[in-house]
Structure formats: C-alpha cells, structure tokens
Amino acid sequence: MELRDAPTARLHPEGRAGPVAAPTSVVRTVAEAFLVRLRRRGVDRLFVNSGTDFAPIVEAYARRHESRLDLPDVVVCAHENLAVSMAHGSYLGDGRMQAVVLHTSVGTANAVCAVFNAARSRVPILLAAGRTPLFEHTRLGARDFPIHWAQEMFDQAGMLREFVAWDYELRDGAHVTDVVDRAVDVACTEPGGPVYLTLPREVLAAPMPGTGAPPAPARPAPPHPDPGAVARLADLLATASFPVVVTADAGADAHAVVLLDELSRRFGIAVVEQGPRHVNLPADHPLHAGYSVDAVLGEADVLCVLDLDVPWIPGTAAPRADAVVVQCGPDPHFSRYPVRTHRADLSITTTSTALLAGLSAALGTRAVDPGRADRLAARVSGWRARRERVLADEAERTGPITKTALNAALARVRPPGAVVVNEYWASAELLASTTPGTWFGTPPAGGLGWGLPAALGLQMARPEATVIAAVGDGAYLFANPAACHHAMAMHDLPVLTVVCTNGHWGAVQGSTLRMYPDGHTAGGGALSPLAQLGPVPDFAAYAEASGGLGLRVEQRAQLVPALRQALRSVEHDRRPALVDVRCV
C-alpha cells in the first residue's frame, strides 16, 4: 500500500499563497513575542474571533509591514464554534497544531462545545482567550469600555477546564516564550488535546524585555508499548483461530494504516472499523471485516481493541466469555471518561503506530498458520456483497429519497480521493473509502455543528482536495451556516455541502423508540414535538447569499445530476456549492 502525504500550503492573512518574509527587526511588545513564538513552534494559522481584548495583537499585525515579523496567518471567523472546529479540521488535514483567538469570557462560552469535540478527539489546539483588563486605569490597556466590568469572571477558565489538558494565565511578558512552549508541549504530548491560555490586555501591550528567545524545545517522543506486553499479545494473535482488531481512530496517523494493512495480510488478522472516524484500513482490503463489531463478537477468540473508546455496547453485545480482550491506546482505559467498564484482560499503553510496528516484528518470529488469512477473508467478506446489492437496488428504485439513496448517489459520483467529512448521514460502509485521510467521522462527544466548519479547515489545509461535508439539517443549523458560508467566500474555500433535510431530530426520536418500543411515542404514530425541526429554511439560500451555488433536490432522479453539477462548481470553478436534499 502506498502512502501519499496530503498537500499543504501556507496562506497570508489576505489569502494569497506564498512564503512569509524573514524578520528584519526586533520584537517590541509581548503580543508580538507571543505571535512570533507561535509561528516558531509550527503554528501556521491563527483562527480569530477577537474583540476589544486583543488590541495589542491587532497592532502587531498592523505593524507587520514595518517589522517583517514572521507571524501566524490570520483566518477570520464569524463565530467561535466555526473558529475552533476549523482549527480541528485543519489539524485533520495536515497534522499541524493550530491556534484560536477567543474573545474573553463570552467567546470562550461560545467555543465550549467545539472544545469538547476537540478534547474527546485528542486534537491539539492552543486556545488563546483574552481576559478582561486587570486595571481600571493608569496602565496601557486598562479598561475603557463598560463591558470590561461585566465580562470579567472569577474563574473564566473554569468553563472548559474539564476539557483541556492545561490552562494558565500569562502574568508577565518576561516568560511569554516559556508559557507558549509549555502550552504547545502539553497539547502535543500523548494523548494530546486542546490547551487554554488567557492573556490580559495590559500584559500583551507591555514592552518585551530585550532578551533573545531560546531555541524551540524538542517534542516529546510518543509512548511505546512494554515489550513484554507486546510479546504476550503476539503469542495470543499467533495461536488464535479468529483474531480481530477493532478500531475507529488508528488511522489518525496514516502510517498506522500502512502498518495495519501489512500486519493483517501477513499474519491473517481480521479488522473491523467500528464507527470509524478515520480510514483505518482500506475498504477493499481482503481482511476488512466490515463496520460492525457485533458481526464478529460471536467468533472472535482474541479481540484487540485499538484506540477505541466504545468497542461494543455492553447492554446489547459482548465478547465471548472465553475470548481474550486486549485494550490498547495512549490512554487505553480512557481515564477522562467518568465511567467505562469494557472488559480488559490485557491493557497496553501505546500509540497505534508503535504497537503495530512492534507486533509485526514480534509476530515475524512466531509460527502463524499460513492458511488463516484465506480462511478469515472468506468468512468476513459478506458485507461487501451486501453493499453491492444495496447500491444496485438503489440504482433501480423510485419514490422518495432516503438516506440510503443519498449514500448510493454520492458513492456513484464521488471523485477518487475526495474527502468526506461526515456529521450524520454518510455511511462508511456504503462509501467504502480506500485512501487514508479521505474519511472523517463525527467526534466521540457528538457536539453538533462540527462537520461543516471542520470541512472548511480541512479544505484550507489541503487546498487542492475535493472536500465534501455530509451533514443533516440539525447539524447544519448548529454550525451557524451563515458564518460558515461567509468563511468560504472570505478564505476561498470551495467546499461541497450536502444537507440531508428531513425536518426532524432522528436521534431524539430513535432513542425514545429504543427505550420505549411499546410506549406512547411508538404507539402514537407521529413525530414527537421534541424531535421536530420544521419549518425547514431554504438552505440553498445560505450558499447563494455568499456567492455560492445553491441547489435543492426533491426527486431521486435529480440526485446524481445535482451532485455532479455541484462537484463541477467546487472542482472547476472553485465556487462553493450546497445541495439541499429533501429526504424522508
């Protein structure tokens, strides 16, 4: 399997591609020192929704034509959920940590849901929030707006302390470099995640001491598994009759996809992608066992859970009593989850890449049945035949548009290598991605409004890619669509948005029916008022209002032509497009 690195580009604040000029003058203020250090630590983009608290940062960028300082490129965002989720998507696109500017307490409050998503996805983001000025007078940067009293909190960081790996307040400019280094190092140390730094305006405005900044420290090495634990797991896998790896996030590192591909082929190990958030194994791999672990739990005698928080739902399924369950990951028991009691007969703290490399070496010294790969391939391939039947059936069907019909249409027109960012309706099984980095699923926390902004950030990180945001009407509304389409126009981000519009919260209605299959909701025969979204707006108008192409589809026969027209818009005209698909 060949691994191709995703293309990347650096953008100027005004959106032109090209290198940033080398600095020709010294740093004057703490704000400038903060920004220079961010760039020095690999932060290329500053996703900004700022306010009165960031006047020194505004001044630093205004002085850039004179200072020629190398600062992160500014990406203006009209809402904090957009800013944080774009930074999240940007990291998914190129693997580089980015920073977000939040406006004091109120901006932080708007960002909490997106930070929750990033935290559960272990995505490193430096969140730099302004703080209400400390002083009422006498200092440069002291309070000069009435809001500077009402916006102050006793513990601003407390709003998101449970979700960040570290939080701090910059109290003096003399240690701005140390504080930025600390923030970046914590965010990027496995298991990783967002960090939060508050910046008082007076501190940012202060002159920077004339000492030179030290070199950037080396990043910490990722955790490697205990050799004894790897040897034990290798013994279990070598002697198993039906070994299975189940994962959702191993493919966060594309190198792990290559290693898992080779390990599975060479040693005859089946792989299930359970609720995948990445491409963990190409869908056309002979030992790909589908997208539901329930299909193999009855047969698997060794179940290796690879960096997956919920490998099965305890109330509905469980591994065989005589199976061996091995939990592996940077935090194999997900210690930040208050309750998680999934069985573990062996636990290994490691990254997926390190474990797979170690396992390949260890299994290479053990006797493994050479016929196991072919036998397992025959036993786990049934999902492919079912997929082909569904796609063939949908091509012949008529009537209202269903989610299955929408997936079949997208599978038919999806360009090779096109990236799908899914928040609701896209099916990993029906779309069957084969290239690492071309499928991104909803974060574990499920905070709505992530998908479309994340697609924008991913498009920014990979400007040559075709990026498709697959969202439901509820997720689309939560994403602040006017702000998202505004960002597409401002930053030249030709994303294709496909909205599955059915006018209700399917998860709300579905969860009620699962809990009360014989209850009043089930017997009423009508959609609960708590699950209704109607009347649904004209979503195509959001795209058109910012210069994009907006299409509305109500008939099956319109689906494929509309998707092809939208793809031509984003690929050839570099014009964002939205297809509003009215589904049942």
Side-chain angles (χ1 to χ4, degrees):
M1 176 182 176
E2 183 181 359
L3 174 65
R4 295 182 177 87
D5 292 330
T8 61
R10 178 174 291 180
L11 303 179
H12 283 290
E14 60 270 31
R16 298 192 307 273
V20 177
T24 58
S25 67
V26 298
V27 167
R28 289 185 181 174
T29 66
V30 175
E32 289 183 340
F34 169 73
L35 294 167
V36 167
R37 195 59 175 183
L38 286 180
R39 177 73 103 176
R40 197 68 191 276
R41 292 307 307 271
V43 175
D44 296 324
R45 305 179 187 95
L46 194 67
F47 294 87
V48 173
N49 188 284
S50 54
T52 58
D53 44 335
F54 278 101
I57 288 179
V58 174
E59 184 69 9
Y61 278 99
R63 198 176 83 86
R64 196 182 188 190
H65 72 281
E66 171 191 308
S67 71
R68 310 296 288 175
L69 291 172
D70 191 10
L71 310 182
D73 303 330
V74 170
V75 182
V76 173
C77 303
H79 193 276
E80 290 81 1
N81 180 74
L82 171 64
V84 178
S85 298
M86 278 189 72
H88 186 152
S90 178
Y91 175 80
L92 295 178
D94 61 17
R96 298 175 66 85
M97 174 182 175
Q98 303 303 335
V100 178
V101 168
L102 302 169
H103 172 41
T104 64
S105 53
V106 290
T108 299
N110 268 350
V112 168
C113 185
V115 175
F116 195 2
N117 281 332
R120 290 297 193 244
S121 301
R122 303 197 302 261
V123 169
I125 300 172
L126 195 156
L127 306 160
R131 187 209 185 280
T132 297
L134 300 166
F135 292 86
E136 293 185 328
H137 50 78
T138 72
R139 295 285 186 93
L140 178 62
R143 301 181 185 190
D144 56 6
F145 274 88
I147 59 172
H148 289 159
W149 280 262
Q151 284 183 348
E152 187 172 25
M153 298 177 66
F154 292 107
D155 184 12
Q156 179 175 309
M159 285 188 283
L160 43 66
R161 183 164 294 128
E162 184 171 346
F163 307 135
V164 297
W166 172 92
D167 71 88
Y168 195 66
E169 182 166 295
L170 181 63
R171 292 158 189 163
D172 190 285
H175 69 162
V176 62
T177 295
D178 295 334
V179 169
V180 170
D181 285 346
R182 176 68 172 162
V184 172
D185 289 343
V186 172
C188 295
T189 299
E190 294 285 356
V195 294
Y196 185 71
L197 176 63
T198 49
L199 303 169
R201 193 165 73 163
E202 300 94 325
V203 176
L204 287 177
M208 185 62 197
T211 57
R219 293 280 178 89
H224 275 62
D226 174 71
V230 173
R232 184 179 172 194
L233 178 55
D235 287 338
L236 292 167
L237 292 172
T239 57
S241 62
F242 200 120
V244 174
V245 169
V246 56
T247 187
D249 280 326
D253 181 353
H255 296 285
V257 183
V258 178
L259 292 171
L260 185 56
D261 182 312
E262 295 173 350
L263 185 80
S264 176
R265 289 179 190 270
R266 184 179 174 191
F267 300 109
I269 300 170
V271 178
V272 172
E273 294 190 275
Q274 174 77 3
R277 293 180 279 270
H278 301 268
V279 175
N280 304 288
L281 189 74
D284 57 2
H285 190 287
L287 283 161
H288 195 301
Y291 298 86
S292 173
V293 74
D294 292 1
V296 300
L297 283 180
E299 296 186 83
D301 52 350
V302 175
L303 188 69
C304 179
V305 179
L306 189 55
D307 199 13
L308 175 56
D309 53 350
V310 186
W312 63 86
I313 302 295
T316 60
R320 285 170 25 179
D322 61 344
V324 179
V325 179
V326 185
Q327 302 271 358
C328 311
D331 181 10
H333 291 291
F334 292 84
S335 57
R336 298 301 294 270
Y337 289 25
V339 174
R340 181 186 183 272
T341 59
H342 294 77
R343 187 172 126 211
D345 303 307
L346 173 65
S347 296
I348 305 176
T349 301
T350 177
T351 63
S352 297
T353 302
L355 178 67
L356 293 167
L359 270 180
S360 183
L363 281 167
T365 66
R366 287 158 171 78
V368 178
D369 179 359
R372 187 172 69 181
D374 290 339
R375 289 198 304 273
L376 286 185
R379 293 169 71 179
V380 302
S381 62
W383 71 271
R384 289 194 184 87
R386 291 192 300 273
R387 173 182 182 269
E388 293 303 320
R389 285 196 300 272
V390 169
L391 295 180
D393 288 347
E394 287 299 329
E396 302 297 327
R397 286 182 184 273
T398 59
I401 301 172
T402 63
K403 289 197 290 278
T404 303
L406 181 52
N407 274 281
L410 182 57
R412 182 175 170 184
V413 304
R414 181 185 180 186
V419 179
V420 174
V421 180
N422 177 49
E423 190 177 23
Y424 174 53
W425 62 264
S427 164
E429 179 172 329
L430 292 177
L431 295 179
S433 301
T434 59
T435 304
T438 60
W439 169 270
F440 297 96
T442 308
L448 282 180
W450 166 86
L452 182 52
L456 301 189
L458 210 146
Q459 181 78 80
M460 182 166 283
R462 301 188 199 169
E464 302 307 316
T466 299
V467 179
I468 303 168
V471 298
D473 43 3
Y476 180 68
L477 289 169
F478 262 67
N480 298 286
C484 290
H485 291 287
H486 171 261
M488 292 184 209
M490 176 180 284
H491 304 299
D492 186 24
L493 302 173
V495 167
L496 168 55
T497 308
V498 183
V499 186
C500 180
T501 304
N502 58 13
H504 69 272
W505 298 109
V508 174
Q509 188 79 359
S511 67
T512 305
L513 296 177
R514 284 195 301 274
M515 282 188 67
Y516 303 103
D518 301 316
H520 295 280
T521 303
L527 186 67
S528 166
L530 279 70
Q532 292 180 7
L533 278 176
V536 178
D538 179 4
F539 292 142
Y542 280 110
E544 293 169 349
S546 291
L549 171 67
L551 302 172
R552 178 167 168 167
V553 174
E554 297 180 349
Q555 303 295 327
R556 279 179 181 253
Q558 300 172 322
L559 262 179
V560 168
L563 290 172
R564 284 180 173 154
Q565 181 182 352
L567 284 166
R568 284 194 299 271
S569 176
V570 301
E571 292 185 327
H572 300 294
D573 303 334
R574 290 198 63 80
R575 181 188 180 194
L578 179 143
V579 182
D580 178 4
V581 182
R582 299 295 164 134
C583 298
V584 294

